[in-house]
Amino acid sequence: MPAVNIRPMTIASQMTAIDPAAPGGPEVLQPVSRPVPQPGPGEVLVKVAAAGVNRPDVLQRLGLYPMPPGTPTIMGLEIAGTVVAVGSEVTRWRPGDAVCALVAGGGYAEYCTAPAGQCLPVPAGMAMTDAAGLPETWFTVWSNVMDRGRARPGETILIHGGTSGIGITALQLAKEVGLTAIATCGSDEKCAAAVAHGAAHAINYKTQDFSAEVLALTGGKGVDIVLDMVGGDYVPKNIACMADDGRHVSIAFQRGPTAEVNLALVMRKRLVLTGSMLRPRPIAFKTAIAEVLEGVIWPAFEAGRLTPVTDKVFPLAEAAAAHARMEAGAHVGKIVLAVS
């Protein structure tokens, strides 16, 4: 076979990034100039086309989400773009490959390094702005619903925040693997959106007691799995509407990290209370999730059974407006920054 010539791609020495000097409101998210990072062993350098915006980004901006040691201070946990350079020990990816990737930081920038194992191919025909919103939510939802939640076809899952990026992804996963999904949302309009995206039922938590509604919808049995990003006083309400042998999976705590739990009810129902944080997990763990997603979920995108749900795309320079939209809670699906 003749040798393949790969034309070197032009890589600048400086780039535009969002790297706030101190915690604060959305206004601290101003473009600055930073050196382009270099890929280390097992890493690729990606020219970023788009970056996803996530709730942990907001917490980091506020100074409430400590970064793992060695993480770039530049914000952003997921990207899509084109590989422009590879470090040693990288065998799969090469310059020119279109990838989306889960990163520990650095995504709100024109260039970003990513562990090779945490990269996935951009599904054929998918826009970069859509692909950028896939990694963080799909890695999170798969690992918590399928692994920690031990979901099985035919079970019922309660998904809080049903129209958030995580919520929409969880609804899509539920449909793909044969779960019946009940979502909670903050308005009738969002409830309708959740049903349109796969929920069997949606409950307006502002006008209804979601725990009582879940029991009514399940004939008193309750749900097998709760995917909870609310915490606080939601936890006892979740437990009250769970079925015997149910699994309660915590992935965030918007209403606080502490809760009062009726242990007698946990014991009587034989419940499992678990949870996880994705960002501090090792690369090997995330690589294993990427392999499962590429084998099980990516074909559903290729076949058109799944489609990304992108709420709104902002230019990188308008990251402040993107965060303001997330904090307002008006979005349905993912908020994305267009970088290049």
Side-chain angles (χ1 to χ4, degrees):
M1 179 181 293
V4 177
N5 292 319
I6 301 174
R7 181 169 55 87
M9 296 189 173
T10 302
I11 303 174
S13 60
Q14 294 287 312
M15 66 179 183
T16 300
I18 304 295
D19 187 13
E27 69 278 359
V28 304
L29 303 180
Q30 298 299 322
V32 295
S33 181
R34 292 289 183 266
V36 171
Q38 298 300 309
E43 293 183 333
V44 300
L45 178 65
V46 177
K47 182 173 175 54
V48 180
V53 177
N54 294 280
R55 181 67 59 175
D57 299 347
V58 174
L59 296 177
Q60 179 178 330
R61 192 201 75 223
L62 293 169
L64 302 176
Y65 190 21
M67 297 177 292
T71 301
T73 57
I74 295 169
M75 301 187 66
L77 301 175
E78 59 183 348
I79 58 170
T82 304
V83 174
V84 293
V86 300
S88 62
E89 304 172 16
V90 175
T91 57
R92 176 177 183 182
W93 308 110
R94 58 196 302 173
D97 287 341
V99 299
C100 55
L102 180 74
V103 294
Y108 291 13
E110 292 180 304
Y111 292 89
C112 181
T113 57
Q118 293 174 204
C119 296
L120 288 159
V122 173
M126 185 178 292
M128 288 288 191
T129 48
D130 287 332
L134 298 181
E136 172 69 16
T137 50
W138 276 99
F139 276 70
T140 298
V141 169
W142 181 275
S143 63
N144 283 285
V145 173
M146 301 305 295
D147 295 339
R148 306 206 69 79
R150 304 197 308 274
R152 297 183 293 271
E155 292 190 317
T156 301
I157 182 170
L158 173 62
I159 300 165
H160 290 302
T163 53
S164 66
I166 289 286
I168 292 290
T169 299
L171 291 174
Q172 292 183 323
L173 174 65
K175 185 175 181 180
E176 185 68 15
V177 301
L179 305 176
T180 297
I182 301 173
T184 65
C185 307
S187 70
D188 291 343
E189 292 76 15
K190 285 196 169 188
C191 284
V195 171
H197 289 293
H201 308 281
I203 302 165
N204 185 337
Y205 63 82
K206 292 184 177 178
T207 60
Q208 299 170 287
D209 179 338
F210 78 80
S211 189
E213 288 295 319
V214 165
L215 288 172
L217 289 168
T218 59
K221 176 181 179 290
V223 294
D224 302 291
I225 305 165
V226 176
L227 183 65
D228 180 51
M229 61 186 79
V230 185
D233 59 357
Y234 264 44
V235 176
K237 295 177 182 179
N238 292 336
I239 289 173
C241 65
M242 291 177 68
D244 290 351
D245 298 303
R247 288 83 71 199
H248 184 288
V249 187
S250 296
I251 59 171
F253 39 82
Q254 294 176 20
R255 292 174 73 112
T258 61
E260 184 173 320
V261 173
N262 183 339
L263 291 177
L265 196 55
V266 172
M267 294 163 65
R268 181 175 66 78
K269 291 186 176 185
R270 304 177 301 281
L271 303 180
V272 172
L273 307 184
T274 185
S276 72
M277 286 186 177
L278 180 62
R279 195 175 191 180
R281 299 300 293 270
I283 291 173
F285 174 83
K286 296 170 187 175
T287 297
I289 298 175
E291 291 171 355
V292 173
L293 290 176
E294 186 171 2
V296 178
I297 296 300
W298 255 231
F301 282 113
E302 297 278 2
R305 294 195 308 275
L306 293 176
T307 40
V309 179
T310 301
D311 173 78
K312 190 170 182 178
V313 179
F314 294 84
L316 179 64
E318 296 178 19
H323 274 228
R325 181 166 180 80
M326 173 159 283
E327 289 183 293
H331 58 292
V332 175
K334 292 302 295 277
I335 299 170
V336 175
L337 299 174
V339 179
S340 62

